[in-house]
Amino acid sequence: MKELLNDKKIMLFVILGGLGIVAIGSLMRKRKINKILQDNLNSAMGEGNQVGFDAKKVAEALHLAMSGFGTDEDTIYQIGQNLTDGQRSKVKVAYQEAYGESLQDALEGDFSFGKEDEVLQLFGY
């Protein structure tokens, strides 16, 4: 009986440890996305080293938001709502070039239950 109890404790420890790793990974991913977007915002405002919109950086942020465990839907919605039509077009091209799949396919693969239609509209599909 003691061995079974110890096995359950070990199992619980492993599960909780795994959840902790996932949570830390999600937090690190969110920080990296925020850094990319903040740098791009500063750039667009003429602050920092670059001037102008960087579609590659926005594509990278979208890719990060869809990679790993789960999808950072809030970030994807935030990006989609803040892009102009011209910026959306540039991001679509940059995404395809960087990741070898269309942004549309990536979004459709990460969203479901009717949310994919909503998010696709945000990105002009």
Side-chain angles (χ1 to χ4, degrees), residues 35-55:
K35 170 89 170 102
I36 290 167
L37 295 177
Q38 187 61 45
D39 287 349
N40 196 49
L41 177 62
N42 289 340
S43 223
M45 294 172 63
E47 300 172 16
N49 296 331
Q50 299 177 336
V51 177
F53 175 77
D54 188 345

Side-chain angles (χ1 to χ4, degrees), residues 21-40:
I21 290 169
V22 168
I24 290 169
S26 294
L27 179 62
M28 290 174 64
R29 177 176 71 171
K30 185 74 167 178
R31 285 185 178 169
K32 186 170 183 176
I33 291 168
N34 287 338
K35 170 89 170 102
I36 290 167
L37 295 177
Q38 187 61 45
D39 287 349
N40 196 49

Side-chain angles (χ1 to χ4, degrees), residues 87-113:
Q87 290 170 337
R88 277 186 196 93
S89 295
K90 290 177 183 178
V91 169
K92 290 175 189 177
V93 170
Y95 195 94
Q96 176 74 43
E97 289 175 355
Y99 303 105
E101 89 174 309
S102 71
L103 179 58
Q104 181 176 1
D105 287 345
L107 291 169
E108 286 176 340
D110 270 46
F111 286 82
S112 56
F113 304 109

